[in-house]
Amino acid sequence: MAIDILNPYEMAVAQFDEAAERLGLSQAMRAILRKPKRELIVNFPVRMDNGDVEMFTGYRVQHNINRGPAKGGIRFSPEVSLDEVRALAMWMTWKCAVVGIPFGGAKGGVLCDPHTLSRAELERLSRRYATEISILIGPNSDIPAPDMNTNPQIMAWMMDTFSMHQGYSVPAVITGKPLAIGGSEGRLEATARGIQYVTREALHDHGMKPEDSTVVVQGFGNVGSISARLLHELGCTVIALSDISGGVYNPDGIDVHHALRYSKEHGSLKGLPNTEHVTNAELLTLPCDVLVPAALENQLTGRNATQVKARLIIEAANGPTTPEADRILNNRGIVVVPDILANAGGVTVSYFEWVQDLQRFFWAEHEINDRLETIMTRAYRSVREKALQQETNLRMGAYLLAVARVAEATEIRGVYP
Ligand code: NAD
């Protein structure tokens, strides 16, 4: 068996290399696109509620900005590493190119466990991190957004911090903000809405009907919980859900609205009535039609891919499938809709939010969702067409489209000076 790659940056580079080889990119272009353009590491103090000062480490990485300003979320997690942020930044470059929005790729992260911080500590940490990375971010240069363990309130503190330094409000410096300060209608649900659109298309292409399809979702945060609700609204039967505490399973179907209320009240899905407990590992191999990993990287690996029973995998999380798992799933005829396509709804509505903030002109929710649907279905169709044409899978189809677009922009702009 080939060695599985678990380092996210090595995984991202391996995926890129395969596309670059197929596209016949020059060695110089490969060398440019393999490396992030800028990497900033910041170490900064935060005063804790008990008066002590603790040091935190954060990152902001820009991968490529030849198609437009850098764009990418900020993650707060004890697992954050420079390599993880590099990988996520590179995936953002490809994602923006797949859906054809004029951004390059970036990502940020702070090494911390936000669940152990008070609200006041979280605010001080967010504001200080925003200050530290303010040498890179700005409405024309690099526009962050939420990711794991960050939310609209944190985006509001960061936007306010940046604006305080400028002396006037700069809403377009960050997306995923609350509506009251220049956020966009539909942004909170955008990633999940994109998941709903691509799932609908993929089910159709494989002769499956939503009302006959069962769905398993891993992760019950912004993306996972809203995807579960929207897939239920599409007509699918959601049979298993999970969060960091483990999974809940009922082969006859789970009432997703009840699960949402229960998780809000109890802080997790643990003990959800009318379900049996499964581990997160068991959840991934449950019999189902559609599996939606919506938590974190490296969930489907060489070790469990042979046991996956889903027919379709819709990658809501970034990097949930290792290259080894990808090969196994591909050989087994399991269709994977890749992250850089499937979860691009979030960055697409972030783009709408940025445009609205720059123009000071806001759109109605139905306009947002209609435009999102057009972009997501068009991207899905072009990826599938490319994959069929090149006799490859959807991941490679998406990479071939995206990498060619970024390489073209990089080539046309030329090497400075
Ligand atoms: P979130 O913090 O809102 O939710 C994460 C969820 O995953 C939580 O329910 C948490 O309990 C669960 N989780 C954490 N560790 C787990 C584990 N070991 N096993 C199972 N579950 C675990 O984060 P989110 O914004 O929903 O992001 C989830 C994924 O989607 C990430 O990979 C992120 O990069 C990706 N993504 C998010 C967006 C967005 O707009 N928020 C856009 C594109 C992609």
Side-chain angles (χ1 to χ4, degrees), residues 75 147 149 187 191 220-223 243-244 280 294-295 317-318 343:
R75 168 177 290 207
D147 193 73
N149 295 325
R187 173 61 185 91
T191 308
F220 207 61
N222 170 280
V223 181
D243 57 28
I244 198 161
N280 262 298
N318 286 305
N343 70 33

Side-chain angles (χ1 to χ4, degrees), residues 42 44 57-61 70-77 80 84-85 88-89 92 106-112 114 122 125-134 136-138 142-152 154-159 173-176 187 318 350:
V42 293
F44 57 93
T57 298
Y59 308 96
R60 185 71 185 169
V61 173
K71 185 90 191 80
I74 289 169
R75 168 177 290 207
F76 287 176
S77 150
V80 164
E84 182 185 70
V85 178
L88 290 161
M92 283 306 295
K107 205 77 180 190
V110 178
L111 198 57
C112 66
L122 194 60
L125 181 144
S126 302
R127 287 184 180 277
R128 180 64 190 249
Y129 169 70
T131 303
E132 295 296 332
I133 63 165
S134 64
L136 288 187
I137 64 173
D142 184 349
I143 305 114
D147 193 73
M148 266 179 83
N149 295 325
T150 55
N151 56 33
I154 292 174
M155 298 305 111
W157 289 328
M158 292 188 176
M159 173 274 197
V173 67
I174 205 154
T175 60
R187 173 61 185 91
N318 286 305
S350 272

